[in-house]
Amino acid sequence: MDISTTLGRLTLKNPIMVASGTFGYAREMEGIVDVPRLGAVLPKTITAEPRIGNAPWRTVETSAGLLNAIGLDNDGVDAFLENHLPYLKEIGTSIVVSVAGRTQDDFVSLAERVGNSAGVAAIELNLSCPNVSGGIDFGTNAQSCLGVVKAAREACNVPILAKLTPNVTRIADIAQAAADGGADAVCLINTVLGMAVNWRTRKPMLGNGMGGLSGPAIKPIALRCVHQVASAVKIPIIGIGGIASIDDVMQFLVTGASAVQIGTANYYDPTVSTRLIDQLPAALAEIGASSVAEIVGTLNK
C-alpha cells in the first residue's frame, strides 16, 4: 500500500499533516505524538517581528467547534531560525513553515530567509488570518494573491503552499491566482470568520471581537471549497477543516485533496494524526485502492 502523496515539488511519506498554530513548535508534542510518522509538521505561523497576539479571551468553544483570535502570537523569525528550526529539522519528517506578513515585502523577506534555510521542506503563505489587524488580506483579492505568491516564489527555491480563506465570493478565483503566481499547492481552508456574544454583559466574548471558527462546524464549507477549486484549478490541494476521523480524511481525498491538515482535533486528541495514518491503508483497501494517488479527486459528480 502506497500512502505517500505529492504536492507539486513536495513529496510526503503520507497525506497526514498537522496544521500551524495547533502543534506549537513540535517540542510540546514530542512526548505524546510519534512525530517522525507524520507526513509533515507545520509549526505556528511566524512573522518578521515577535508578536504578543491579541488581548484575552483568545479562544471560545462553540457547540461544534472553536473560535480563536490568537493574533499570530509568535517569537518572530530571528528566534525561529535560531532556537526552533535546529530542533525541527532533526525530528524526522518534513517541516513546512507557515509565514505571515502585513505587506508583500514582509512575505518576500520571510520567504527568502526561511525558504533558503536548511531543513525547510516548503513554505506555507498564511494569506488569510482573520484575526490580525493591519496590512492587506491577500487572500481576498486575486491580484494581491498572485502578486505575493509570485514574489515569494522568486525569493526562494522550496515549494510554496498558499493558504486561502473561505471568506470570499469565489474561492476558485483566488486559488487560480495563487496557481498563476507559481504556488505548488493551495491549502483550503483557513478559519471562517465568526463571533460569540455574552448577552448579559452585551459584549463580544473574544477580546478581538471576532475570530476564526474551526472544527467540525466548518467541514462542509471546507469540502465545498475543495470541490470548487479541484474543478477549476490544476495544482494540488491540501484540505483543512474539521478533520478528526478516517472518514473525514477519505472524504477530502476523494473530493480532490491530495493531503489534509489536522487542526482543532489536536487540542482534544493529540494522538489523532498517527491513528489516522494507521487507519489509512485499510480505508484505501476497502474501496479497492492501493495508493492515495488513485483516489484523489475521484468523486462521482
Side-chain angles (χ1 to χ4, degrees), residues 8 38 74 92 104 110 117 121 128-129 194 197 201 223 226 274 277 285 287:
L38 301 174
N74 77 102
Q104 180 169 304
L110 288 163
S117 297
S128 51
C129 184
V197 170
T201 62
L223 281 169
V226 169
T274 50
I277 295 168
I287 56 175

Side-chain angles (χ1 to χ4, degrees), residues 54 122 153 201 213 243 264:
N54 293 326
R153 162 76 284 135
T201 62
L213 178 65
I243 300 168
T264 302

